[in-house]
Amino acid sequence: MKKYIALLVSLLLVCMVSFALAAEGPFVPGEDFAEYEIENASGYNVVTVNMLITAGEDKIFDGKVKLTSDSLLASEFTQAAVFEAGCGADGIESGFVTFIGDYANGPDANGNYVCWTYTVNGKYVPLACNQFVLLEGDYIHWDYVAFSDSSEDVSEVVEAAPTGFDPPFEVGEDETEYEVEGASGYTVETVNVKIVAGEDVLFNGKVKLTSDTVLASEFTQAAVYEAGCGADGIESGFVTYIGDYANGNDADGNYVYWSLSINGKYVPVSCNQIAVLDGDYILWDFVTYVAE
């Protein structure tokens, strides 16, 4: 009996530790569920995200959205949730939402400007919703907010929010700063980048980038420049080699290639199609292909 109790206690402790170690998201998703397939989608990309659409205490949608799409844009997930909620909306496809349900952008009774704004994984997004790609398990929150001179600093609120993912690697001491040609200067982000081939770490540290698009390809290119190694395919979105490591067959006949993950998650689009947010993690790993 004592052994049984000891085993039960051990199992409970394991469960408690596992729960404690689980990444905390910026909100707990409710019971709502929407499933949608974009017309003419190939069917290769099926992603489920957590979606919350709120206006004060009014929750228009609170739950999960499962989407089949080749582009996986925040606008597509949002449109699916709005369809499920059965309310009208405008501007989602164009990237600038003007109203959802009974809540439209404009001045309120107190003269403050109220509008729809969104965050992903608790972070401010400097791009329109039809320009931002979501990954499996991401958290997207649309909120109807008022702006005034006395409003709390939004950037500080967002920075303090939990992200919903654990850091996938320990950040090293490398640093670089780069400005994309023609950038307006309004968007400056710092992300964590690691480029590794086995035990050979080409770059591990922080990249500070000034860019209007903040694409993973741009952060990667900046890190490669700093590492002083050659590369090909970053701008086109399909990396063929970095440094001395090129896609192809190894000595054992296995196919090896450069693989991208962001925040520890598989990325089903090319690196020049996905934007990253301040504090995100980009990992390039030279891996061996294993058939499923």
Side-chain angles (χ1 to χ4, degrees):
M1 183 66 178
K2 290 182 178 179
K3 290 182 178 180
Y4 172 78
I5 294 175
L7 178 61
L8 181 60
V9 171
S10 298
L11 289 173
L12 287 173
L13 287 173
V14 169
C15 291
M16 290 172 65
V17 170
S18 299
F19 180 77
L21 293 177
E24 180 186 359
F27 59 85
V28 178
E31 300 296 323
D32 292 338
F33 181 77
E35 186 170 358
Y36 188 74
E37 181 172 344
I38 299 297
E39 187 177 359
N40 298 322
S42 65
Y44 291 114
N45 297 338
V46 183
V47 166
T48 301
V49 305
N50 306 289
M51 172 78 66
L52 180 62
I53 304 176
T54 54
E57 296 182 357
D58 187 3
K59 289 186 177 181
I60 296 172
F61 186 94
D62 184 7
K64 295 181 180 293
V65 177
K66 183 178 181 180
L67 182 75
T68 301
S69 167
D70 294 334
S71 49
L72 302 171
L73 297 171
S75 56
E76 297 172 331
F77 288 93
T78 304
Q79 192 70 70
V82 168
F83 282 156
E84 181 65 23
C87 59
D90 184 68
I92 296 175
E93 292 185 2
S94 65
F96 181 71
V97 174
T98 57
F99 77 86
I100 298 177
D102 298 326
Y103 305 94
N105 297 357
D108 65 8
N110 298 317
N112 298 316
Y113 185 77
V114 289
C115 65
W116 285 101
T117 182
Y118 80 106
T119 59
V120 173
N121 298 326
K123 299 178 179 182
Y124 165 72
V125 182
L127 300 172
C129 62
N130 64 348
Q131 297 176 311
F132 194 84
V133 173
L134 297 179
L135 300 178
E136 180 72 28
D138 277 351
Y139 292 78
I140 176 170
H141 181 193
W142 283 96
D143 199 8
Y144 187 64
V145 298
F147 290 93
S148 68
D149 293 338
S150 61
S151 294
E152 191 173 9
D153 187 343
V154 175
S155 63
E156 292 181 2
V157 175
V158 171
E159 185 178 358
T163 60
F165 62 84
D166 293 315
F169 59 83
E170 185 176 344
V171 183
E173 296 182 357
D174 292 334
E175 286 187 65
T176 188
E177 189 170 343
Y178 186 75
E179 182 171 341
V180 174
E181 185 177 358
S184 64
Y186 290 115
T187 303
V188 182
E189 292 188 352
T190 301
V191 306
N192 309 292
V193 179
K194 185 175 183 180
I195 305 174
V196 59
E199 295 183 357
D200 189 3
V201 180
L202 305 181
F203 185 95
N204 185 12
K206 295 185 178 294
V207 176
K208 184 178 181 181
L209 183 76
T210 302
S211 167
D212 295 334
T213 49
V214 290
L215 296 170
S217 56
E218 297 170 331
F219 286 95
T220 303
Q221 192 70 68
V224 167
Y225 283 154
E226 180 65 21
C229 57
D232 184 68
I234 296 175
E235 291 184 4
S236 65
F238 181 71
V239 174
T240 56
Y241 77 85
I242 301 177
D244 298 327
Y245 305 93
N247 298 358
N249 293 324
D250 63 12
D252 298 321
N254 299 312
Y255 186 73
V256 289
Y257 66 100
W258 284 101
S259 175
L260 169 66
S261 62
I262 294 178
N263 299 329
K265 301 175 180 182
Y266 167 70
V267 180
V269 298
S270 57
C271 63
N272 64 348
Q273 294 178 309
I274 185 166
V276 289
L277 302 178
D278 199 74
D280 279 352
Y281 291 76
I282 297 175
L283 174 62
W284 284 98
D285 197 3
F286 193 60
V287 300
T288 300
Y289 172 76
V290 178
E292 295 182 357

